[in-house]
Amino acid sequence: MMAWIEFMNTTTGERLGVRQIADASGMPAHRVHTTLSGRRVPTRSELDMLCMAVGLGKESREALQELRVLEATQRAHQKPPDPTFTADAESARRIPPRQPVPAFGQPDPIRVSTTKELVQALKAVHVWGGTPSLRELERRTKSALRRSTISDMLRGESLPDYDRYVAFLRACGVDGANLDTWVFVWRRLKALESPEAAPWMPGAGMP
């Protein structure tokens, strides 16, 4: 069961029925059921409705939203289950659980907490992408990124420009759900530069 569901249950101290929560939140009962059973991750607005339905305060709702973001990110990195893998095979192999990683072993930036660490992670992406030359990266981005710009980004001490950051990641082969994770990390660091914005960004205070 997902951590944010356990948080909800222990914080409220009262386990309401699915129908009661559905009526109070305005959500369909089947969506409440699949959410509380851990079979799906709710949207931000759905989680807010569930929290209000069970009477959680602002701080608890914000904590749950952070856990929701982590859960959604982890699920995006997990591989789909193998339909040929049986319970007997699982028992025989006894494989210890592993933390999910991005597809194809891409560097995972989710624990990045400073701009310096982000630059280090970008260097890892460059290596993972085959260490293409700056000229090649410039070609791949159709000159949207100049060689000097890329060089500055990989040794800079300030948060890179958003569009250039995304263009660099795409040029190195990062896309899909993995790119979403990199975008989330950039937005978190940007929010931390603006104290008035950070409280409105779920996960901005995470390490």
Side-chain angles (χ1 to χ4, degrees), residues 2 10 21 28 48 59 65 68 79 91 97 102-103 119 131 135-136 142 148 172 174 180 185 202 206:
M2 292 183 293
T10 56
I21 296 176
D48 273 337
E59 291 185 0
Q65 289 292 356
R68 184 193 67 83
K79 295 181 178 179
S91 176
V119 171
T131 321
R135 183 185 298 275
E136 173 61 17
K142 298 180 180 179
S148 59
C172 289
V174 179
D180 291 341
V185 169
M206 295 186 303

Side-chain angles (χ1 to χ4, degrees), residues 58-137:
K58 179 181 178 182
E59 291 185 0
S60 295
R61 292 202 303 271
E62 290 176 350
L64 282 170
Q65 289 292 356
E66 292 184 7
L67 292 174
R68 184 193 67 83
V69 171
L70 284 176
E71 178 69 20
T73 301
Q74 289 176 347
R75 291 196 177 200
H77 291 166
Q78 289 175 341
K79 295 181 178 179
D82 183 352
T84 65
F85 193 72
T86 64
D88 290 340
E90 181 178 13
S91 176
R93 291 171 63 180
R94 299 291 182 184
I95 300 176
R98 297 177 58 190
Q99 291 295 321
V101 298
F104 312 115
Q106 290 180 15
D108 187 355
I110 194 62
R111 295 189 182 279
V112 166
S113 59
T114 66
T115 297
K116 181 178 180 180
E117 290 177 355
L118 182 64
V119 171
Q120 294 172 347
L122 288 175
K123 291 179 180 178
V125 167
H126 187 225
V127 172
W128 175 85
T131 321
S133 67
L134 300 186
R135 183 185 298 275
E136 173 61 17
L137 289 173

Side-chain angles (χ1 to χ4, degrees), residues 120-203:
Q120 294 172 347
L122 288 175
K123 291 179 180 178
V125 167
H126 187 225
V127 172
W128 175 85
T131 321
S133 67
L134 300 186
R135 183 185 298 275
E136 173 61 17
L137 289 173
E138 184 179 51
R139 185 194 67 79
R140 291 180 187 179
T141 61
K142 298 180 180 179
S143 297
L145 286 180
R146 298 293 184 181
R147 280 169 280 176
S148 59
T149 301
I150 300 170
S151 179
D152 290 342
M153 184 186 303
L154 293 178
R155 66 168 187 261
E157 297 182 354
S158 59
L159 195 64
D161 173 79
Y162 176 81
D163 290 335
R164 293 171 179 171
Y165 171 77
V166 172
F168 172 81
L169 291 168
R170 290 187 184 278
C172 289
V174 179
D175 57 15
N178 297 320
L179 182 60
D180 291 341
T181 302
W182 286 89
V183 168
F184 165 73
V185 169
W186 185 94
R187 288 174 174 163
R188 182 175 68 193
L189 293 177
K190 191 65 175 178
L192 290 174
E193 293 181 355
S194 305
E196 70 279 5
W200 300 95
M201 291 285 291

Side-chain angles (χ1 to χ4, degrees), residues 26-83:
M27 290 175 57
H30 72 277
R31 292 183 73 84
V32 173
H33 174 70
T34 55
T35 298
L36 296 182
S37 64
R39 289 158 53 192
R40 64 181 292 271
V41 178
T43 65
R44 176 178 174 80
S45 59
E46 286 177 336
L47 183 54
D48 273 337
M49 288 191 293
L50 290 173
C51 289
M52 289 187 285
V54 298
L56 291 181
K58 179 181 178 182
E59 291 185 0
S60 295
R61 292 202 303 271
E62 290 176 350
L64 282 170
Q65 289 292 356
E66 292 184 7
L67 292 174
R68 184 193 67 83
V69 171
L70 284 176
E71 178 69 20
T73 301
Q74 289 176 347
R75 291 196 177 200
H77 291 166
Q78 289 175 341
K79 295 181 178 179
D82 183 352

